[in-house]
Amino acid sequence: MRDEGRSGCPINATIEVIGDRWTLLVLRDVMFGNRRYFREIQSGSEEGIATNILADRLKRLVAAGLLTREDTGRGQKAEYRLTEPAVQLVPVMAHLGAWGLRHRPTTERLRVRAELLERGGPELWSEFMDELREAHLGIPRPDPDRPTATDRLARAYAAVAER
């Protein structure tokens, strides 16, 4: 969806889509937590997102072209998937996490993925983006035999969570 926005500034255009308090957190949970259903996103929210806020943000993200919503039959759960523009936010998320590591108080359990993404840099981000494309868009990874970035992120998180 492309609308006029407040100005022709690319930063403003981006902020108008992802600049509120909850939108990036919803994308984070779909991206890094592989949460695809409303209840998974809501119950897994570290920040405790309210159901009405989540419903609104999911609608906005679908309208903005960052998520798709699999229309389901009556009584079935709707599945949300990342689109290519959302996948391309991985470097932005990595940079936001790195900034937060340096300038904001964080917990060890919740900072471990950001540390790994920062250390892994563009190569890791690219691998992760390929995995997201496969999982959400059905595009096979270029090197399916290579260990996944998702597994490395999950192992790093699990190692800290076990302490």
Side-chain angles (χ1 to χ4, degrees):
M1 171 178 113
R2 292 188 183 222
D3 57 24
E4 294 299 313
R6 284 182 274 236
S7 74
C9 171
I11 294 172
N12 176 69
T14 304
I15 295 302
E16 285 186 4
V17 174
I18 63 171
D20 68 82
R21 176 182 168 127
W22 293 105
T23 300
L24 281 174
L25 298 179
V26 170
L27 286 171
R28 173 204 65 192
D29 290 348
V30 175
M31 205 177 270
F32 295 100
N34 195 31
R35 298 183 187 126
R36 298 197 190 195
Y37 301 95
F38 184 94
R39 291 283 170 227
E40 284 180 340
I41 299 166
Q42 201 275 324
S43 66
S45 171
E46 289 282 338
E47 296 77 18
I49 190 169
T51 56
N52 63 321
I53 302 278
L54 177 56
D56 177 70
R57 291 320 181 274
L58 289 169
K59 285 179 191 169
R60 288 183 190 195
L61 286 164
V62 169
L66 294 176
L67 291 178
T68 58
R69 182 180 189 270
E70 180 70 32
D71 289 324
T72 58
R74 189 174 166 95
Q76 294 177 322
K77 299 186 289 186
E79 181 180 8
Y80 294 92
R81 292 179 177 260
L82 299 170
T83 63
E84 180 60 28
V87 169
Q88 290 179 23
L89 285 171
V90 166
V92 173
M93 299 292 241
H95 283 292
L96 286 171
W99 186 90
L101 289 171
R102 286 190 294 283
H103 301 291
R104 304 301 302 165
T106 59
T107 64
E108 183 181 21
R109 180 175 68 85
L110 296 176
R111 70 184 285 133
V112 67
R113 289 183 185 132
E115 290 170 339
L116 186 59
L117 284 167
E118 184 175 34
R119 280 194 311 268
E123 183 179 335
L124 180 62
W125 308 341
S126 180
E127 290 172 30
F128 185 58
M129 289 166 65
D130 286 340
E131 292 166 31
L132 291 172
R133 287 182 183 105
E134 182 174 60
H136 291 265
L137 304 172
I139 300 169
R141 287 184 294 135
D143 188 0
D145 296 326
R146 185 177 189 163
T148 67
T150 303
D151 287 343
R152 285 184 275 170
L153 291 167
R155 280 194 311 273
Y157 179 79
V160 171
E162 290 173 0
R163 291 185 207 167

